[in-house]
């Protein structure tokens, strides 16, 4: 428990620091006003907030990225050795944490744009930065040396993953190109429509009012998000967390839009009190929905998860010898029942396999997340089987109880088409349906199969619902 609390606390601290670093970048590139707006917008973006709840490397990698970028900007301004070394240090830590090498391009560009690039020692400073980057990478990732062959295999598998063949449920085999998937994800979930609109307007302002800003600063600033976006857009494998490194940049462009809107209001409206009321109303209209979303999400995940509710209900209503088949992410309910003494629990019941037996009076737990994944990837054989089998269960078995959270069920936090590349609904409050296999006299023929139960199946049957006598 102490390790868990330490991990959660560390992630919370790291996430808070990234809010300040977003302010620093916005202030440096545009103005203090932009920095304030950018840091606030970043703090209410759904994707960073969602990932801040987990003990993973994503937020830590974002911290190293932003620190590296800050010192890259300082290289461009002053070219001191300290800035080169620190930029290299955090770049190496980033690569060792998340293997994001795009930052090295930004580091090289900061040298090219440096005011002191033509001084003799500048190139040596750059070489030192890359050497420090390599050293910090090895320190943070000693596995590279201790087991180079295994590390290489892992790296190759990650490269193959980009082709979308390794994990079908996170690939573009659902018919949505990765670039379009990310835009749809940002608008509908990760960023939200109001903030996405303000980002677009902020980008347009930076283009048409470029004379107000240092073009080198702006070019260095966009070098990372442009190159990184190209990589994830062209990849056949996608996930919500892959776009996390872009969130501070989006927040800064959104902050530019709000800062310029306030400047315009100051010119048009002379009375400060009226101006304050109008701008507060303007902010409320734009940011009400994202703010409501993050507040309600934080509250709802502090309540009992639907899988725990399902497990508690079964524990109260059924004896310990009840057979329970937990499909997909309902494994958490199955594990809860096992802790309570249920000894006929089968976790990760494989609806995706070709042949299974279902016996009368068995209990099936089916969650909405895996059904959505199967619905999105019906062209894949295993998911096609899962979808058809779950359809059969819904048609032939008795739904005795459902546990759901209205906002999650209504796809307020994550639309169905995002599964499983977005993991919001897999981690929190999927709708859990509890079915009971009915008493039957005949066999229903459809595609499902389960190999752990004895019995011989007819050649043309994929699912068999069997009565208590085994008929």
């Amino acid at each position: 428990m102490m390790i868990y609390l330490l991990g959660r606390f560390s992630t919370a601290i790291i996430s808070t620091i990234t809010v300040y670093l977003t302010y620093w970048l916005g202030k440096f590139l545009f103005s203090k006003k932009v920095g304030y707006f950018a840091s606030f917008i970043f703090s209410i973006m759904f994707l960073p907030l969602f990932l801040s709840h987990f003990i993973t490397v994503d937020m830590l990698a974002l911290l190293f990225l932003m620190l590296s970028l800050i010192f890259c900007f300082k290289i461009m301004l002053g070219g001191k050795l300290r800035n080169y070394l620190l930029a290299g240090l955090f770049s190496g830590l980033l690569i060792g944490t998340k293997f994001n090498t795009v930052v090295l391009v930004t580091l090289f560009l900061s040298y090219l744009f440096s005011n002191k690039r033509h001084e003799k020692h500048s190139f040596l400073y750059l070489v030192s930065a890359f050497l420090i980057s390599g050293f910090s990478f090895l320190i943070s990732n000693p596995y590279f040396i201790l087991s180079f062959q295994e590390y290489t295999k892992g790296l190759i598998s990650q490269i193959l993953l980009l082709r979308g063949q390794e994990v079908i449920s996170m690939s573009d085999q659902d018919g949505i190109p990765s670039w379009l998937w990310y835009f749809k994800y940002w608008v509908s979930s990760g960023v939200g429509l109001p903030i996405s609109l303000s980002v677009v307007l902020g980008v347009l302002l930076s283009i048409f009012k470029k004379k107000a800003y240092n073009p080198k600063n702006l070019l260095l600033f966009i070098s990372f998000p442009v190159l990184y976006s190209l990589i994830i857009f062209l990849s056949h494998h996608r996930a919500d967390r892959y776009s996390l490194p872009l969130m501070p940049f989006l927040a800064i462009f959104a902050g530019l839009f709000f800062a310029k809107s306030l400047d315009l209001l100051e010119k048009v409206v002379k009375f400060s009190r009226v101006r304050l009321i109008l701008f507060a109303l303007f902010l409320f209209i734009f940011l009400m929905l994202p703010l409501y979303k993050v507040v309600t999400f934080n509250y709802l995940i502090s309540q009992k998860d639907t899988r725990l509710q399902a497990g508690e209900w079964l524990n109260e209503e059924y004896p310990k010898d009840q057979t329970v088949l937990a499909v997909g992410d309902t494994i958490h309910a199955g594990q809860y029942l096992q802790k309570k003494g249920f000894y006929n629990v089968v976790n990760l019941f494989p609806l995706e396999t070709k042949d299974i037996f279902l016996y009368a009076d068995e209990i099936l737990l089916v969650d909405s997340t895996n059904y959505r994944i199967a619905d999105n990837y019906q062209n894949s054989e295993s998911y096609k089987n899962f979808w058809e089998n779950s359809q059969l269960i819904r048609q032939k078995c008795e739904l005795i109880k459902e546990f759901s959270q209205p906002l999650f069920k209504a796809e307020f936090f994550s639309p169905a088409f995002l599964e499983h590349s977005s993991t919001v609904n897999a981690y929190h409050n999927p709708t859990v349906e509890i079915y009971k296999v009915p008493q039957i006299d005949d066999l229903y023929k459809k595609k499902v199969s389960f190999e752990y139960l004895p019995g011989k199946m007819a050649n043309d049957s994929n699912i068999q619902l069997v009565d208590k006598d085994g008929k």
Side-chain angles (χ1 to χ4, degrees), residues 260-285:
K260 287 302 177 181
S261 299
L262 181 57
D263 291 342
L264 178 62
L265 200 61
E266 289 174 347
K267 294 179 181 179
V268 176
V269 181
K270 296 182 179 180
F271 298 102
S272 59
R273 184 172 297 180
V274 176
R275 185 168 62 239
L276 180 62
I277 294 173
L278 289 175
F279 190 71
L281 182 62
F282 176 72
L283 279 179
F284 179 76
I285 293 172

Side-chain angles (χ1 to χ4, degrees), residues 341-397:
F342 281 69
Y343 52 85
N344 285 328
V345 177
V346 180
N347 288 319
L348 297 177
F349 185 77
L351 282 187
E352 69 277 6
T353 55
K354 188 176 180 181
D355 302 304
I356 70 169
F357 285 95
L358 297 178
Y359 285 81
D361 292 334
E362 289 180 333
I363 296 295
L364 281 124
L365 304 181
V366 182
D367 70 286
S368 58
T369 302
N370 285 271
Y371 178 80
R372 288 172 172 176
I373 297 170
D375 190 37
N376 292 338
Y377 293 91
Q378 291 183 45
N379 58 331
S380 169
E381 188 64 29
S382 60
Y383 287 111
K384 180 181 179 181
N385 289 338
F386 189 105
W387 187 83
E388 292 178 349
N389 297 337
S390 59
Q391 287 289 90
L392 178 71
I393 289 170
R394 290 183 171 187
Q395 295 168 11
K396 301 298 184 179
C397 296

Side-chain angles (χ1 to χ4, degrees), residues 70-88 107 110-111 114-117 119 121-126 128-129:
I70 285 174
F71 287 104
C72 283
F73 277 114
K74 290 188 175 183
I75 288 173
M76 188 175 64
L77 292 179
K80 294 181 179 179
L81 176 61
R82 180 184 63 183
N83 295 329
Y84 276 98
L85 296 180
L86 288 173
L107 175 57
S110 67
Y111 160 75
S114 173
N115 296 329
K116 298 183 179 181
R117 176 171 62 91
E119 296 183 6
H121 58 263
S122 294
F123 182 73
L124 295 178
Y125 287 175
L126 177 66
S128 301

Side-chain angles (χ1 to χ4, degrees), residues 323-341:
T323 300
V324 178
L325 311 177
V327 177
D329 287 315
T330 63
I331 182 178
H332 303 288
Q335 291 170 337
Y336 171 84
L337 292 173
Q338 288 174 323
K339 291 179 181 179
K340 293 298 180 179

Side-chain angles (χ1 to χ4, degrees), residues 99 148-164 166:
F99 209 80
F148 178 76
Q149 188 174 1
E150 291 299 318
Y151 186 92
T152 304
K153 289 181 180 178
L155 184 61
I156 292 173
S157 69
Q158 289 297 309
I159 295 173
L160 293 176
L161 196 66
L162 299 178
R163 298 168 59 184
E166 300 292 311

